[in-house]
Amino acid sequence: EFRRVLFRSAHVMHECLTQHLGTIATWDAPRGGYFVWVTLTEAADTTALLPLVRERGVGYQPGASFSSTGAHGQSMRLSFAAYDTNKIDQGINLLGATLKRLIH
């Protein structure tokens, strides 16, 4: 049951990313796990953008948080395991709209 829920959440995350961030980011479709790594295609610092995104009620883990050298500054880690599919859809929609406004 839990694996089926995770599979569905991962699928919804991928579909929502395609719809809302497809023009500004890249990622690999999740085939398991709990997270998706997303990389913005334009030069942007996801650590600096995070407070602005959180003001809109969504968030992510900046990629630089997972590097001892501060690499992966254009990347972010998004969880699909912690949220139901409605929250994933709402969150990715809002994240996409916010990021498009901030980086364009």
Side-chain angles (χ1 to χ4, degrees):
E1 173 67 23
F2 184 65
R3 285 174 34 195
R4 193 171 337 127
V5 170
L6 279 179
F7 178 80
R8 174 79 178 127
S9 295
H11 176 75
V12 168
M13 174 73 80
H14 175 66
E15 293 297 315
C16 291
L17 287 169
T18 300
Q19 182 178 358
H20 300 293
L21 277 85
T23 60
I24 65 167
T26 62
W27 63 92
D28 290 326
R31 297 187 337 217
Y34 302 99
F35 307 99
V36 175
W37 280 93
V38 176
T39 302
L40 298 173
T41 55
E42 293 190 30
D45 180 351
T46 59
T47 300
L49 291 172
L50 183 58
L52 303 171
V53 169
R54 284 205 172 137
E55 286 177 4
R56 302 286 299 175
V58 293
Y60 53 78
Q61 293 296 318
S65 298
F66 300 93
S67 170
S68 62
T69 64
H72 311 293
Q74 285 181 229
S75 298
M76 64 188 91
R77 187 177 83 164
L78 302 173
S79 173
F80 57 81
Y83 305 97
D84 66 40
T85 55
N86 289 331
K87 288 287 187 189
I88 292 170
D89 184 38
Q90 292 169 359
I92 298 301
N93 183 354
L94 190 53
L95 178 64
T98 303
L99 287 173
K100 286 174 185 175
R101 184 176 49 83
L102 291 172
I103 63 177
H104 283 120

